[in-house]
Amino acid sequence: MWIVGAWPVQASLGGGRDSIDADGRHLLARMSAVAAATHTVHVLTMPNGEVIREYARADGVVFAVGWRGPARPDLRQLLGPRFDDVQADNILPGGRRTRRPLAVRRPDFRMSSGGHPGAFWGVAYLPALAPAGFSAQDLS
């Protein structure tokens, strides 16, 4: 199931600090932040218990997003224009949508996700925007 809203999309992945605030408002999330050596992790906790982590460089650019919780979050909101890549890379012959976990394996955009009703997870990141010393294994 794809979640699409009627409000303006504020791209988070690849966006700036203002996109993190827009995500918090859009998702009705409680927000906090934790500083790491190479980046800041902005934690958005939604009313249903879903936790979204947005990873931002020192200049505020969001280079990765992770989620875990009882429902798949609004991926169009979190991924912005990259949501179209997710849809394009997860279509079966004949134009049908896949029922397998969503994944994207492009040189400039990586995403993996999985789960089942009540327990979804996923990560998405832009390798070229990640700060020096960051590893995709740092995504939690």
Side-chain angles (χ1 to χ4, degrees):
M1 177 171 159
W2 299 101
I3 301 171
V4 179
W7 41 85
V9 173
Q10 299 291 324
S12 183
L13 192 60
R17 261 188 197 96
D18 58 337
S19 71
I20 298 168
D21 294 333
D23 289 345
R25 286 189 305 274
H26 174 82
L27 300 169
L28 304 174
R30 187 173 24 114
M31 299 174 64
S32 62
V34 178
T38 62
H39 58 281
T40 300
V41 180
H42 298 270
V43 181
L44 289 73
T45 304
M46 297 173 32
N48 70 353
E50 181 97 25
V51 175
I52 297 167
R53 289 178 172 79
E54 298 192 13
Y55 298 76
R57 301 184 314 207
D59 63 0
V61 173
V62 178
F63 65 90
V65 178
W67 59 92
R68 182 173 299 278
R72 187 177 292 139
D74 183 345
L75 294 178
R76 183 176 295 281
Q77 175 74 24
L78 295 179
L79 304 178
R82 293 301 186 149
F83 181 76
D84 294 335
D85 296 336
V86 174
Q87 287 188 309
D89 287 10
N90 289 280
I91 300 252
L92 296 171
R96 294 186 335 247
R97 301 258 184 245
T98 180
R99 294 181 62 91
R100 71 179 196 270
L102 300 174
V104 177
R105 302 277 185 265
R106 296 180 180 208
D108 62 336
F109 175 48
R110 312 283 284 177
M111 184 189 126
S112 60
S113 68
H116 53 81
F120 287 96
W121 62 269
V123 294
Y125 69 103
L126 303 171
L129 295 183
F134 180 83
S135 167
Q137 294 177 341
D138 295 335
L139 297 171
S140 58

